[in-house]
Amino acid sequence: MPSSSDADPSAGSLPGPSGAPESGSTTTTPASPVRRGRVRLRRAAVMAVPATAVAAGLMILTAQGALGVQFAISGMPFTVTATNLDGEGFAQFGALDQMAEGSPNEGDTGGQVLVVVSAIKKATLEKLCQSVDLGGTNLLITAGAGSQKVSATNLTTDSTELSGNAAFDNIEIGNDASTLDKSHTRGPKGVFSQQADTVHIGNLRQTNYATTAAVFKLPGLKLRFSDQGC
């Protein structure tokens, strides 16, 4: 029989009667519960995105990786104002918009912008103004200042700020964004959202990174450069 010095050192020590290693053993029990706990905490930290304010003063929790629009944003915010906005089929939830890879506007954001997605199936706006700061001058667009209002179908805006005097009909708060059914779009599963049959916002002001619409009619459209924005 081989002596103890000839035994395979990788075999480890045999357990004693109580199941613990014999005296002198260097074998230790792996701290797997602690390791798994740390993994869960790291995953939770990745999925938890800071809350952002919505028009009604609510907080929206967003899930990382959700895109509010299906194109790369420029990363340049633009301002939108309107005297009145009236909409049918309203929904709102949080998302992340993504800039083009290597965009000079990404700064320390990694090219991602946390936004509030506002979706309206049918919308009308009075005295619409949109401006973007180009550095020393503003590209200014106005429309709907006359008797005809600006109208949009399947309007979606991705905003970082939104203010005004808001009123909702039959509002639902706290929906899972994947179950929204009053507007034309839904958000990712597990994301906090709200929806309503109708929405009215007076003195609307938004800071947006993207806007999409199936149909967008702008009567009395004027586009020009200006020293002042909206």
Side-chain angles (χ1 to χ4, degrees), residues 3-224:
S3 65
S4 59
S5 61
D6 294 331
D8 183 0
S10 63
S13 300
L14 295 175
S18 63
E22 294 287 1
S23 177
S25 170
T26 58
T27 303
T28 58
T29 303
S32 56
V34 176
R35 204 171 295 123
R36 284 196 294 269
R38 289 175 180 171
V39 170
R40 291 193 189 102
L41 288 174
R42 284 197 294 270
R43 287 177 179 171
V46 169
M47 294 303 294
V49 181
T52 182
V54 298
L58 303 173
M59 304 305 287
I60 289 183
L61 300 179
T62 72
Q64 187 172 9
L67 292 178
V69 294
Q70 298 302 314
F71 55 81
I73 62 171
S74 70
M76 296 180 65
F78 55 95
T79 300
V80 174
T81 64
T83 303
N84 289 291
L85 178 150
D86 289 283
E88 298 177 10
F90 171 79
Q92 200 169 56
F93 53 90
L96 284 172
D97 282 354
Q98 182 70 49
M99 300 178 203
E101 185 176 356
S103 171
N105 299 319
E106 69 179 22
D108 59 357
T109 66
Q112 293 181 326
V113 179
L114 181 64
V115 296
V116 176
V117 177
S118 300
I120 303 176
K121 187 177 292 186
K122 295 181 180 179
T124 58
L125 301 98
E126 295 180 13
K127 296 183 179 180
L128 175 69
C129 179
Q130 177 179 302
S131 64
V132 56
D133 187 352
L134 301 177
T137 189
N138 293 273
L139 179 60
L140 186 68
I141 297 174
T142 56
S147 59
Q148 290 184 298
K149 300 178 182 179
V150 171
S151 63
T153 303
N154 293 352
L155 176 67
T156 305
T157 60
D158 292 12
S159 312
T160 54
E161 293 184 20
L162 190 158
S163 64
N165 301 312
F168 304 92
D169 286 334
N170 296 323
I171 191 169
E172 299 173 1
I173 301 170
N175 309 61
D176 187 294
S178 68
T179 66
L180 295 173
D181 57 8
K182 292 181 182 290
S183 191
H184 60 280
T185 189
R186 298 176 179 177
K189 185 175 292 187
V191 173
F192 185 97
S193 68
Q194 62 178 359
Q195 64 177 355
D197 288 344
T198 67
V199 58
H200 169 80
I201 304 178
N203 297 320
L204 171 69
R205 187 174 189 86
Q206 292 177 300
T207 300
N208 292 347
Y209 277 85
T211 297
T212 62
V215 177
F216 207 7
K217 297 182 179 180
L218 299 129
L221 172 68
K222 293 182 180 179
L223 185 154
R224 60 197 182 277

